[in-house]
Amino acid sequence: MEDRITKTMALLLDGSWKEAGKLYREIINDLSKKESVSETVLNGESSQCASEAEKGVSVASEFERWVTLNEEELWDLGHIAYLFDDTETAESLIEEHYSRKPNDIEGMVFLGKIYKKRKKPYKSELMFRAALWEDKDNMKAVEELVYLYLDTDRPLDALAWAQKLLRLDPRTPKSYFLAGKALENLDKPEQSRRYIIAGMILDLSSSRGSSFQNFYEDKLGESITIADLDDAREVIEEWVGKNQHTIAGTQQVTKANPIQ
């Protein structure tokens, strides 16, 4: 089973989605047959052990739905299911993974993403907050909470958690974009514009360059003034100044004008 899961992952990485999809369906069908056989065996115990067997089936159904898979297989297959938008199976697999590793932060965050995609915002929020209970500064969990609150029309909560992202790392462009989106949803267009331009400055100043030019034009228009840039730099410098303890070896944001 592990070899087939690994092969499916390799096919996906290679871009062979059709072949990977066929192998994925075969894996799920085979696993369903094995689970069915396991329950049949339990139900076939002697009458003396009938009650214990029934309890066993109940427990297996609720907590061990994928008893033939180890933790790594659960994790990989859950991601494959998610990629194929089979979120019901992904939820089942990652819930089982979580039941075996309840303190795994990455697992909590991924399960929260699955719940969000399956339109279960309350359960999604619980998982992200559980991850933050384990690590209060986990940026991925904080970021996912922002997305969740934006999706569920809670812009004030989204802004509060976007500000936490900015406190954790005031040099990440995405944090400014998320804060800008929350401000836009709060009907504060001028503040939203400043934050989005701030994100653009950081994005275009990075060594990786940027591929979001169309996004900037859609959100900001083609004309960005010197005053716009100065206002945005003030936003960056304010957050950098507030959080010097999080920026090792850096004193201030670059003054170079990225717009030529």
Side-chain angles (χ1 to χ4, degrees):
M1 182 61 66
E2 184 176 355
D3 289 343
R4 288 199 291 169
I5 293 173
T6 301
K7 183 178 179 181
T8 306
M9 292 288 284
L11 288 168
L12 287 171
L13 291 171
D14 193 45
S16 303
W17 283 75
K18 185 174 182 180
E19 191 176 349
K22 180 179 178 181
L23 185 55
Y24 165 70
R25 287 188 292 273
E26 290 176 0
I27 292 170
I28 295 299
N29 287 338
D30 287 349
L31 284 169
S32 298
K33 292 174 185 176
K34 287 184 180 180
E35 296 297 323
S36 177
V37 168
S38 296
E39 292 195 6
T40 300
V41 170
L42 283 171
N43 284 322
E45 294 288 341
S46 65
S47 58
Q48 184 178 357
C49 301
S51 60
E52 285 79 8
E54 288 171 5
K55 290 178 183 177
V57 172
S58 175
V59 171
S61 299
E62 184 64 24
F63 298 108
E64 297 182 355
R65 287 157 291 185
W66 304 96
V67 291
T68 59
L69 297 177
N70 60 39
E71 291 168 10
E72 184 177 353
E73 290 169 336
L74 284 168
W75 184 252
D76 288 344
L77 196 56
H79 278 77
I80 294 168
Y82 187 81
L83 288 172
F84 281 116
D85 206 29
D86 183 5
T87 54
E88 182 177 359
T89 301
E91 177 181 329
S92 179
L93 287 160
I94 302 304
E95 280 183 342
E96 174 61 23
H97 182 274
Y98 175 61
S99 75
R100 299 185 196 181
K101 298 183 68 175
N103 297 318
D104 178 53
I105 295 174
E106 191 176 0
M108 295 175 193
V109 173
F110 185 39
L111 186 52
K113 287 180 64 176
I114 294 171
Y115 286 144
K116 179 162 72 76
K117 198 168 185 179
R118 288 184 57 73
K119 309 299 183 185
K120 299 178 179 181
Y122 177 70
K123 295 182 75 172
S124 179
E125 181 178 12
L126 286 178
M127 294 313 303
F128 297 143
R129 289 185 176 274
L132 289 168
W133 178 262
E134 297 290 333
D135 175 8
K136 65 182 179 64
D137 293 335
N138 186 277
M139 289 193 66
K140 189 61 179 174
V142 175
E143 181 181 312
E144 290 298 337
L145 267 179
V146 178
Y147 283 121
L148 175 66
Y149 293 143
L150 287 173
D151 288 347
T152 53
D153 196 24
R154 294 169 61 180
L156 196 59
D157 289 323
L159 179 60
W161 286 94
Q163 289 173 336
K164 181 174 177 67
L165 282 177
L166 289 166
R167 289 194 295 272
L168 291 172
D169 184 0
R171 291 189 175 280
T172 299
K174 186 187 292 185
S175 302
Y176 291 88
F177 297 145
L178 290 172
K181 180 61 178 176
L183 287 163
E184 178 185 324
N185 291 356
L186 287 166
D187 295 322
K188 297 184 177 181
E190 292 182 3
Q191 292 183 47
S192 173
R193 181 178 175 84
R194 283 197 290 272
Y195 272 81
I196 291 174
I197 293 175
M200 180 191 71
I201 290 172
L202 290 171
D203 186 31
L204 296 178
S205 298
S206 71
S207 58
R208 299 186 304 274
S210 173
S211 59
F212 298 112
Q213 191 64 39
N214 290 337
F215 168 80
Y216 303 139
E217 291 178 1
D218 290 343
K219 284 291 183 183
L220 306 170
E222 296 182 3
S223 176
I224 299 174
T225 67
I226 297 299
D228 287 333
L229 294 171
D230 288 342
D231 286 346
R233 287 196 186 97
E234 287 181 7
V235 170
I236 298 170
E237 289 172 354
E238 180 182 1
W239 282 104
V240 171
K242 287 178 180 177
N243 301 283
Q244 284 293 341
H245 61 286
T246 67
I247 313 170
T250 302
Q251 296 301 315
Q252 64 177 6
V253 70
T254 179
K255 294 289 185 177
N257 184 351
I259 308 296
Q260 301 298 324

